[in-house]
Amino acid sequence: MSLIFNAGLDEPMPTDFLPWFEWQVPRTRKILFGHWAALQGEIDLPHARALDGGCVWGNCLLAYRLSDGKVIASSAQCPSS
């Protein structure tokens, strides 16, 4: 685990590291996660879905509808700090 890497996936990862959701381990449920704003909610895999849209940076707040798996973005952007 790297506690200092916080960039997006287009940035070089530290040597011998992968994002946790790319590790090949058996999963029976989809994991919904946030707190990685640099991803801007763009990770949608069969086993994981990013929900941090980067609202803290002025991007949209995201919500996930459990009934059908639809991701809904807020119509108004969050104010940037």
Side-chain angles (χ1 to χ4, degrees), residues 37-58:
L39 299 179
Q40 297 185 8
E42 294 181 5
I43 300 302
D44 187 14
L45 302 169
H47 60 275
R49 179 66 168 104
L51 292 175
D52 190 335
C55 184
V56 70
W57 296 340

Side-chain angles (χ1 to χ4, degrees), residues 4-81:
I4 58 171
F5 181 81
N6 62 1
L9 298 180
D10 54 342
E11 298 294 322
M13 281 277 164
T15 304
D16 297 327
F17 281 84
L18 286 173
W20 65 266
F21 49 82
E22 288 186 10
W23 282 92
Q24 299 301 312
V25 297
R27 293 185 173 94
T28 58
R29 296 184 177 152
K30 189 165 192 158
I31 299 168
L32 307 175
F33 71 95
H35 204 63
W36 194 344
L39 299 179
Q40 297 185 8
E42 294 181 5
I43 300 302
D44 187 14
L45 302 169
H47 60 275
R49 179 66 168 104
L51 292 175
D52 190 335
C55 184
V56 70
W57 296 340
N59 296 320
C60 292
L61 183 67
L62 300 177
Y64 184 88
R65 190 165 55 201
L66 293 172
S67 62
D68 62 3
K70 181 177 180 178
V71 175
I72 302 155
S74 65
S75 58
Q77 291 186 332
C78 299
S80 58
S81 328

